[in-house]
Amino acid sequence: MKQSNKKNTRRKFIKQNLLTGAGTMLGMHSVSSLLGNESPKGINIQAAQEGSSLSGQQKPQWVKWPVWDVATDEPPVVEVLRSGVWSRAKVVEQFEAAWAKTIGTKGCVTTVNGTNAMICALAGLEVGGGDEVIIPPYTFIATPQAVLQTGAMPVFVDTDPETFQIDVNKIEEKITPRTRAILPVHIAGIPCDIEGIMKIARKHNLVVVEDACQAWLSEVSHKKVGTFGNAGCFSFQNSKNIPMGEGGAIVSDDEQLIDRCYSYHNYGIAHGSMVAKHGAGLSMFGTKLRLTEYQAAIGLVQLKRLEAQTTIRAENAAYLKSRLESIPGIIPYKLYDHVTRVSFHLFPFRYKKEAFRGLTRAAFLKALSAEGVPCSSGYVTLNTQPFIANAFQSKNFKKMYSPKQLDYNKYMERNRCPQNDILCNEEAVWFTQNILLGSRSDMDYIVAAIEKIHKNAEAIKRSQES
Ligand SMILES: *Cc1c(COP(=O)(O)O)cnc(C)c1O
């Protein structure tokens, strides 16, 4: 019944538009012109749209990332390049000291990237073959890959769709005798319920490594994320809020752990307190994950911007959230009660197509992009991707686990995350951090663009169906 109704209205619509000669404008690519300033001939959308707030308004020029100021940023970096000392030395040490101070921990070891910061921290805590590590599915691919790389098995706990973070109430049911660690992620830079997670970890004697790779300066109860667990890991990759191209860091108050991580990241050569424990020299198992001097130099110049930029992002995000909340079908992230600061690597919200006349998320994203607002549907369902089966089929996994433990169908069943499936496959939409560095009127532009799509949802939907 619904079907035939839909067909009828659609036929009527097509007929109407053929009569006015606008039929050919109804393809996907015409969405931008449908919503643009020039009114497409024959479709009286503009008229239906009172106060078309975008007409005459320039599309915002979003901040280009990374920010690079030749005058202030190049001299210190060029100095390092000209020194000829490019391998780890005093500039890396300077950055580590600055990062530990910024986050508020006793120690910091930098690494080649955030992925390897997590591998190094997990190795430092002796998480490995046979262990299970609890992680959220709503994260970047690096999180589960870091777990697999240590030989441990990722165990997924479903997402709280309101916050986009791991659902703390579902963690305990996933704990088994093999569980060794929780690797919570502060995704988007929005803190997860790390206080709740630490309670569970203490109760079950688990170690915690925080994936704070998107959460530089985020806080819970005025304490920086990355400082709650045994270790916190950060990324300084090009797109991140403090970019070096590639780079990562582990922070901790556990000085032995920092020394173990340092040793591991430097070919296993015993460092600091590890000398007394294992003997000096080539006494430990390790690899090489060292940052370079010029990366650290870039990091030091970028670090100068982080505080002020973080404040701007948070102000814009709060404003944008308050405005978007009033649009039916747009549900921005929620913050947990104790969150005191958010880094906003991403601005996430849920899109409910029911409130947009059934306009699909893909169509919404296309229309919003056409309005000049870059946006994305975000992460895929990591718990269902083939890389896990591929790891299970590896020689190492077959030696570390029993065939029963590697039963992939059972694993899939145990790791189902239905809330996360909805988020990834249907509802999530993001803006990236550079968008939040715009002006107040840029935020208003985003709101106007979404309001416009909301008002014209039916027409956009039909135009994309034909
Ligand atoms: C970027 C990122 C990482 C990994 O960082 P790289 O530096 O790219 O290796 C890990 N986890 C999350 C959530 C990230 O966003």
Side-chain angles (χ1 to χ4, degrees), residues 111-118 138-144 146 185-189 211-216 233-240 245-249 345-346 379:
T111 56
V112 287
N113 53 43
T115 309
N116 278 284
M118 294 192 287
Y138 202 76
T139 183
F140 184 56
I141 178 67
T143 315
V185 182
H186 306 284
I187 206 67
D211 180 341
C213 288
Q214 297 186 359
W216 328 257
C233 297
F234 295 90
S235 169
F236 309 117
Q237 187 271 341
N238 229 75
S239 68
K240 305 299 170 108
E246 297 289 348
H345 181 58
L346 306 164
Y379 294 127

Side-chain angles (χ1 to χ4, degrees), residues 16 54 67 103 169 216 226 267 277 344 362 412 428 432:
Q16 217 170 311
L54 304 199
V67 173
I103 301 302
N169 298 318
W216 328 257
Y267 314 104
K277 204 165 176 163
F344 289 107
M412 287 292 282
T432 52

Side-chain angles (χ1 to χ4, degrees), residues 152-213:
M153 231 185 230
V155 171
F156 295 92
V157 168
D158 208 353
T159 307
D160 172 357
E162 296 203 317
T163 60
F164 294 75
Q165 310 301 317
I166 190 168
D167 189 336
V168 174
N169 298 318
K170 293 177 180 166
I171 291 178
E172 281 195 287
E173 66 201 51
K174 292 286 177 88
I175 293 175
T176 73
R178 288 206 284 132
T179 310
R180 267 296 319 283
I182 307 176
L183 179 42
V185 182
H186 306 284
I187 206 67
I190 295 170
C192 65
D193 180 8
I194 189 67
E195 292 172 327
I197 289 168
M198 292 312 296
K199 260 185 221 150
I200 295 170
R202 278 189 288 269
K203 183 175 156 195
H204 296 272
N205 197 24
L206 306 174
V207 295
V208 174
V209 174
E210 289 174 75
D211 180 341
C213 288

